[in-house]
Amino acid sequence: MSAETRDSLDPAAVARLEPLELVARTLVEGFLKGHHFSAAKGASIEFAEHRPYAAGDDVRRVDWKAFGKTDRFYLKEYEDETNVRATMIVDASGSMAFGTAGITKARYAACLAAGIGYLLLAQRDAVGLAVAGAALRRYLPPKATARHLRGIFDALDAERAEGPTLLAACIHRVAERLRRRSLVVIVSDFLDDPREVVTAIAHLRHRHADVLAFHVLDPAEAEFPFKEWALFQDSEDPSARLRIDARQIRDVYLENLAEHLDVLRKGCAALEADYSVLTTRKPFDAALAAALDARSRRTK
Amino acid sequence: MSPLPQGLENPFLAPLLLAAFLPLLLHILDRRRARAVAWPAMRFLVPRSRGRLRRRLLREALLILVRSLAALLLAYAVLRPYALEEEAAEGRGAGSRGVVLAVDTSYSMSYREKPEGPSAFEAAKDAALQVLEETSPGDAVHVIAAGHRGPAPERPAPLDPDAARRAVRDLRRGGAPFRILEALDQASDLLPGLRSDRREVLLFTDLQASTLPDGSPERLRFAADRLRSPGPPPLVRIIDCGAPSPSNRFVSTLAPGPLAAGTDEPAHLEAAAEASGRDPGPMTLRLLVDGAEAAAAEPQARGGRLAHGFAQRFTAGGVARLSIALPPGDGLPEDDARHLALEVLERIEVLVLGRADAAASAARHVDLALAPRAPDGPAPAVIFRPELAPSLEPAMLEGKRVVVLAALERLGDAAAAALERFVEEGGGLLAFAGDEVAAPGVAEGLFRDGRGVLPARLAGRDSVPSGAEPLHPRDVATGHPALAVFADPEEGDLSRIGVRRWTRAEDLPRDAVVLGRLGPDLPWIVERPRGRGKAVLVATSASTDDSDLPRTPLFLPLLHRLARYLAAGDPAARTVLVGQPISARLPPGLTAAEPYAVDPRGERRPAAVEAAGGEPRAVFLETLFPGFYELRAGEGPGAMAEVFAANVPPEESRLERLGAPALADLRAALGVEVAPDPREATRTSVTRSVKREHWPAALAIALLLLFAEQVLARGFARGAEAARKPTPWR
């Protein structure tokens, strides 16, 4: 990957771009350029019928073999096939507003979701959006149109990270709405009961959905760099406070976090769901590659 | 080693012990300084198990405890705690002995517990002789008479035991107080000269409270260091020769009044008696004049003290021998009387400087006020004998008690020096700062930037504007003996005097006292002591040029009281403490005569002749007995016979014993052993108190604790690190 491409995927640099559509295009084009992917690769287009040429039709779609046989112009009609119906569940709870690396978790999640949406639509896939918070705040069913994708971008831009997290309940609500085999992408900090979240993912799997879970962590959450006494206030509940010597509690914190992640990782592995942990310093390309990979597996 | 400290070398650093709270304080401050962090993952900050949380708190408390203990021990080490332990000491055994015997010869040692028993001094000498009985011919001994005034002899050679016995027998009481640490310092000077296998310092004293006036740790440490250096520390013992609970009555005060005593009016005498170790109870104070009882009083005791003021009229001039005596009957008879040699004046010779040619001159006003008479009339029946002179010649000062500076055109250096010497030796100067005295040529020579005799710089003349109201004296110190007659305004009110001109008195030296003012910054009467005499400045003229004072009836009592006050000189000049020298100027015709002193026992003792300021003086040093001394020279008419009195220092009469804490400090600092009975002087010590310092142990434990704290902190941190699972994002 070139330095230019790497810069285009740097989370802090990307977070500064507006609007989200531009972010998505920058991410995907940089990603594809870096990995020499083709936008049409994997697309499935099947022949449907011939129809006579009409003024204004694209001459490139003329079937020249038929012209040789019949001496008349016919156009080949294809039936577009939407390969994948993807739904992205993006966490917009209060805990996602936290950020120390020049970007909040919420912005990172929005950028990542926008990139994945843009990439999937480029594959002619239908893309939908579910915004999770204390309840399922917004649900846009999957569609394969650019206009719909812009609606998704607008929705991601409009959402504010606030309120408590009830991620598992939101996933259950999305699972209930799935009609066909789907790809579900979850972007969240998973600050919910990990066993309930795993149960919700099992619900998705039961509905024949492939699941791709991105666990977004801020570097401070991952490393707990505090070295003195601090008064910790809960982002989702300001009344919850804890005055403690950070040096003394660091190992407890890291242990608890590791255990939390362990439950999620093992649960996802058992359900054959993809699970990745990302810090907001990590470039988006790995996540996009994972999304593309999951999409490929889904279409085989 | 005893685990409990018995004393501290640096008790003033005790507040450092508060350092023990430092870790806790830092902990609390850290808590208070906690910065707020909005944090999403609160659930991970709480340990899953209560046991683990409790363990964590216990670890933290343990670390704070260890740090606090380390801080406490470090502070404790800085205080330098110590314990006293008995240690076997060198005593009787092989090798030669070097002994320093210091015997308290102060007057308190004369105390006898029982009339038929020995005095403390006799007991001390007996005990010292017993110690010498234990010595061998090869031993070396120094004998110190601790309690004599004057410098100790320079490093005398050590004595053999026989010579030491003679020296002890010859010991006599001295006049100076005995100080334990000074005696040890003297012993320290002598120790390096003792080339012996074992060295001992023995102090024989009554352990009076005043024997250790400065028992500060630093002073004790200094004495201990001196004893130790060079060579091994000697065995130091104090032999307590005093009575366990002495009681003593004594005359503590006999002082003349501040005005010169004359034959014209009664002289005031202050007398007081005290008791040491008990309530004084009723006592009769008898005033003896020249050995005969002149008055008696039985005052009430107030605050453990009996005081009475006697008014004694004298019929003849000369030196009166005054004594205040108590009825005899206690263990220290030497202080039952106190003596005073008081000079009683038949005439007060006054030299008045100024021109007498003008009838209204300042000098004439002074002359007439001191002795009102016709210009060539006979001397009036007053005590003052003024002599008028237009200028000062040194010879004029002979026999004079007071010089009044009314007016003076000039003052030569020799005259100024003679005037200064006159005041230094007890004369009085009264200066009226009119136009002539305030003139720069005279004023500068008298003041000499504070080194001269005048109490202030005369900085020029001032006057009230024409037509304005005159100034009036204010803030007059009517408590002063010379101005006490004006205490009642009905008797005489100085504030009625009108002053139109005056001299500015400025740059008053520190020892100058303002006795009256004309305004807030205008001193009118200023007094300054100088040597044994005094000088008083009045910032207005003695003529009517400056004020109406000479015309008022107040002028005469003001001048008489000031002159009488200045004529008193130093009332205690002829009264000394036992052991202090007495001296008198030899008259010109007797410089070749051999002066001698007659002591209170009537014994004739030779006196020395010394030159002081170019004049020969007879000096007698051995005033070892309280009572009256006479310094004599020559025979017949013109012979010198000056009377002096010597008294026991009052502190030698206060027989309160040294307290147990002070003795404990002595033991701790110097490892001194105290023998409570002189009969134990010969018991060679088998043990002695040795000071064991605790600070090395405290420091070592503190360092160990600090090391343990590091180990614990790292151990806790490592344990926590090991318990953590690897994180998936790394």
Short mmCIF file of all heavy atoms in Angstrom, two decimals, chain A residues 130-158:
data_model
loop_
_atom_site.label_atom_id
_atom_site.label_comp_id
_atom_site.label_asym_id
_atom_site.label_seq_id
_atom_site.Cartn_x
_atom_site.Cartn_y
_atom_site.Cartn_z
N ALA A 130 -29.16 -0.01 10.38
CA ALA A 130 -29.89 0.02 11.65
C ALA A 130 -29.04 0.77 12.66
O ALA A 130 -27.86 0.47 12.82
CB ALA A 130 -30.16 -1.40 12.14
N VAL A 131 -29.60 1.79 13.29
CA VAL A 131 -28.86 2.57 14.29
C VAL A 131 -29.30 2.11 15.67
O VAL A 131 -30.49 2.19 16.01
CB VAL A 131 -29.10 4.07 14.11
CG1 VAL A 131 -28.34 4.86 15.18
CG2 VAL A 131 -28.66 4.52 12.73
N ALA A 132 -28.34 1.64 16.47
CA ALA A 132 -28.66 1.05 17.79
C ALA A 132 -28.31 2.02 18.90
O ALA A 132 -27.29 2.70 18.84
CB ALA A 132 -27.89 -0.25 17.98
N GLY A 133 -29.16 2.07 19.87
CA GLY A 133 -28.89 2.87 21.07
C GLY A 133 -29.63 2.21 22.20
O GLY A 133 -29.49 1.00 22.41
N ALA A 134 -30.41 2.99 22.95
CA ALA A 134 -31.25 2.40 23.98
C ALA A 134 -32.34 1.55 23.33
O ALA A 134 -32.90 0.65 23.96
CB ALA A 134 -31.86 3.48 24.84
N ALA A 135 -32.65 1.86 22.05
CA ALA A 135 -33.59 1.05 21.27
C ALA A 135 -33.11 1.13 19.82
O ALA A 135 -32.09 1.76 19.55
CB ALA A 135 -35.00 1.62 21.40
N LEU A 136 -33.82 0.46 18.96
CA LEU A 136 -33.43 0.56 17.54
C LEU A 136 -33.92 1.92 17.06
O LEU A 136 -35.11 2.12 16.79
CB LEU A 136 -34.10 -0.58 16.74
CG LEU A 136 -33.57 -0.77 15.33
CD1 LEU A 136 -32.08 -1.10 15.34
CD2 LEU A 136 -34.36 -1.89 14.64
N ARG A 137 -33.01 2.86 16.98
CA ARG A 137 -33.41 4.23 16.70
C ARG A 137 -33.86 4.44 15.26
O ARG A 137 -34.72 5.24 14.98
CB ARG A 137 -32.22 5.16 16.97
CG ARG A 137 -32.00 5.46 18.42
CD ARG A 137 -31.06 6.66 18.52
NE ARG A 137 -30.12 6.47 19.59
CZ ARG A 137 -28.98 7.13 19.69
NH1 ARG A 137 -28.64 7.98 18.78
NH2 ARG A 137 -28.19 6.92 20.71
N ARG A 138 -33.20 3.77 14.36
CA ARG A 138 -33.51 4.00 12.94
C ARG A 138 -33.27 2.69 12.19
O ARG A 138 -32.31 1.98 12.51
CB ARG A 138 -32.59 5.10 12.40
CG ARG A 138 -32.98 5.63 11.05
CD ARG A 138 -31.88 6.53 10.53
NE ARG A 138 -31.69 7.72 11.33
CZ ARG A 138 -32.07 8.94 10.96
NH1 ARG A 138 -32.70 9.10 9.81
NH2 ARG A 138 -31.83 9.97 11.72
N TYR A 139 -34.13 2.38 11.24
CA TYR A 139 -33.90 1.18 10.43
C TYR A 139 -34.19 1.52 8.98
O TYR A 139 -35.30 1.95 8.63
CB TYR A 139 -34.81 0.05 10.89
CG TYR A 139 -34.60 -1.22 10.09
CD1 TYR A 139 -33.46 -2.01 10.29
CD2 TYR A 139 -35.51 -1.62 9.13
CE1 TYR A 139 -33.25 -3.16 9.55
CE2 TYR A 139 -35.32 -2.76 8.36
CZ TYR A 139 -34.17 -3.52 8.58
OH TYR A 139 -33.94 -4.65 7.83
N LEU A 140 -33.21 1.34 8.08
CA LEU A 140 -33.38 1.54 6.65
C LEU A 140 -33.17 0.18 5.99
O LEU A 140 -32.07 -0.36 6.05
CB LEU A 140 -32.37 2.55 6.10
CG LEU A 140 -32.39 3.94 6.73
CD1 LEU A 140 -31.26 4.80 6.17
CD2 LEU A 140 -33.73 4.62 6.46
N PRO A 141 -34.20 -0.39 5.39
CA PRO A 141 -34.05 -1.74 4.80
C PRO A 141 -33.07 -1.71 3.63
O PRO A 141 -32.89 -0.66 3.00
CB PRO A 141 -35.47 -2.09 4.35
CG PRO A 141 -36.20 -0.82 4.31
CD PRO A 141 -35.54 0.13 5.25
N PRO A 142 -32.45 -2.84 3.30
CA PRO A 142 -31.41 -2.85 2.26
C PRO A 142 -32.00 -2.57 0.88
O PRO A 142 -33.06 -3.11 0.55
CB PRO A 142 -30.85 -4.28 2.32
CG PRO A 142 -31.33 -4.85 3.60
CD PRO A 142 -32.58 -4.16 3.96
N LYS A 143 -31.31 -1.69 0.17
CA LYS A 143 -31.65 -1.43 -1.24
C LYS A 143 -30.35 -1.19 -1.98
O LYS A 143 -29.36 -0.77 -1.39
CB LYS A 143 -32.53 -0.18 -1.36
CG LYS A 143 -33.97 -0.38 -0.91
CD LYS A 143 -34.79 0.87 -1.19
CE LYS A 143 -36.19 0.69 -0.62
NZ LYS A 143 -36.96 1.94 -0.71
N ALA A 144 -30.39 -1.45 -3.34
CA ALA A 144 -29.14 -1.35 -4.11
C ALA A 144 -29.15 -0.13 -4.99
O ALA A 144 -28.85 -0.23 -6.17
CB ALA A 144 -28.96 -2.64 -4.94
N THR A 145 -29.52 0.99 -4.45
CA THR A 145 -29.50 2.21 -5.28
C THR A 145 -28.60 3.25 -4.61
O THR A 145 -28.46 3.28 -3.39
CB THR A 145 -30.91 2.80 -5.42
OG1 THR A 145 -31.36 3.22 -4.12
CG2 THR A 145 -31.88 1.78 -5.99
N ALA A 146 -28.06 4.06 -5.49
CA ALA A 146 -27.16 5.12 -4.99
C ALA A 146 -27.93 6.12 -4.12
O ALA A 146 -27.42 6.64 -3.13
CB ALA A 146 -26.53 5.84 -6.17
N ARG A 147 -29.16 6.35 -4.48
CA ARG A 147 -29.98 7.29 -3.71
C ARG A 147 -30.20 6.77 -2.29
O ARG A 147 -30.14 7.52 -1.32
CB ARG A 147 -31.32 7.45 -4.45
CG ARG A 147 -32.20 8.46 -3.80
CD ARG A 147 -33.41 8.66 -4.63
NE ARG A 147 -34.33 9.56 -3.97
CZ ARG A 147 -35.49 9.92 -4.48
NH1 ARG A 147 -35.86 9.46 -5.68
NH2 ARG A 147 -36.29 10.74 -3.83
N HIS A 148 -30.42 5.48 -2.22
CA HIS A 148 -30.62 4.87 -0.90
C HIS A 148 -29.34 4.98 -0.05
O HIS A 148 -29.39 5.28 1.15
CB HIS A 148 -31.01 3.40 -1.08
CG HIS A 148 -31.25 2.69 0.21
ND1 HIS A 148 -32.30 3.01 1.07
CD2 HIS A 148 -30.57 1.69 0.84
CE1 HIS A 148 -32.25 2.23 2.14
NE2 HIS A 148 -31.20 1.40 2.01
N LEU A 149 -28.22 4.79 -0.77
CA LEU A 149 -26.94 4.88 -0.05
C LEU A 149 -26.73 6.30 0.49
O LEU A 149 -26.25 6.50 1.62
CB LEU A 149 -25.78 4.49 -0.97
CG LEU A 149 -24.41 4.43 -0.31
CD1 LEU A 149 -24.39 3.36 0.79
CD2 LEU A 149 -23.31 4.15 -1.33
N ARG A 150 -27.13 7.31 -0.30
CA ARG A 150 -27.01 8.68 0.19
C ARG A 150 -27.89 8.88 1.42
O ARG A 150 -27.54 9.58 2.36
CB ARG A 150 -27.39 9.66 -0.92
CG ARG A 150 -26.21 9.99 -1.84
CD ARG A 150 -26.48 11.22 -2.67
NE ARG A 150 -27.61 11.04 -3.61
CZ ARG A 150 -27.51 10.43 -4.79
NH1 ARG A 150 -26.35 9.95 -5.21
NH2 ARG A 150 -28.57 10.30 -5.57
N GLY A 151 -29.06 8.22 1.40
CA GLY A 151 -29.93 8.28 2.58
C GLY A 151 -29.24 7.68 3.80
O GLY A 151 -29.37 8.18 4.93
N ILE A 152 -28.49 6.59 3.56
CA ILE A 152 -27.74 5.97 4.67
C ILE A 152 -26.67 6.94 5.19
O ILE A 152 -26.50 7.12 6.41
CB ILE A 152 -27.12 4.64 4.21
CG1 ILE A 152 -28.22 3.60 4.02
CG2 ILE A 152 -26.06 4.15 5.20
CD1 ILE A 152 -27.76 2.29 3.45
N PHE A 153 -25.99 7.58 4.24
CA PHE A 153 -24.95 8.55 4.66
C PHE A 153 -25.59 9.66 5.50
O PHE A 153 -25.05 10.06 6.55
CB PHE A 153 -24.26 9.16 3.45
CG PHE A 153 -23.40 8.19 2.68
CD1 PHE A 153 -23.10 8.39 1.34
CD2 PHE A 153 -22.90 7.05 3.31
CE1 PHE A 153 -22.30 7.51 0.65
CE2 PHE A 153 -22.10 6.16 2.61
CZ PHE A 153 -21.80 6.39 1.28
N ASP A 154 -26.72 10.16 5.03
CA ASP A 154 -27.39 11.24 5.77
C ASP A 154 -27.79 10.77 7.17
O ASP A 154 -27.66 11.51 8.15
CB ASP A 154 -28.63 11.72 5.01
CG ASP A 154 -28.25 12.43 3.71
OD1 ASP A 154 -27.05 12.81 3.60
OD2 ASP A 154 -29.11 12.60 2.83
N ALA A 155 -28.28 9.55 7.24
CA ALA A 155 -28.69 9.01 8.55
C ALA A 155 -27.49 8.89 9.49
O ALA A 155 -27.56 9.23 10.69
CB ALA A 155 -29.36 7.65 8.37
N LEU A 156 -26.38 8.41 8.95
CA LEU A 156 -25.17 8.27 9.79
C LEU A 156 -24.69 9.64 10.26
O LEU A 156 -24.23 9.80 11.40
CB LEU A 156 -24.07 7.55 9.02
CG LEU A 156 -24.27 6.06 8.82
CD1 LEU A 156 -23.22 5.51 7.85
CD2 LEU A 156 -24.16 5.31 10.15
N ASP A 157 -24.78 10.62 9.36
CA ASP A 157 -24.35 11.97 9.74
C ASP A 157 -25.25 12.56 10.81
O ASP A 157 -24.80 13.29 11.70
CB ASP A 157 -24.39 12.88 8.50
CG ASP A 157 -23.01 12.99 7.85
OD1 ASP A 157 -22.01 12.75 8.59
OD2 ASP A 157 -22.92 13.31 6.66
N ALA A 158 -26.53 12.24 10.72
CA ALA A 158 -27.49 12.87 11.62
C ALA A 158 -27.46 12.29 13.03
O ALA A 158 -27.86 12.95 13.98
CB ALA A 158 -28.90 12.73 11.03
#
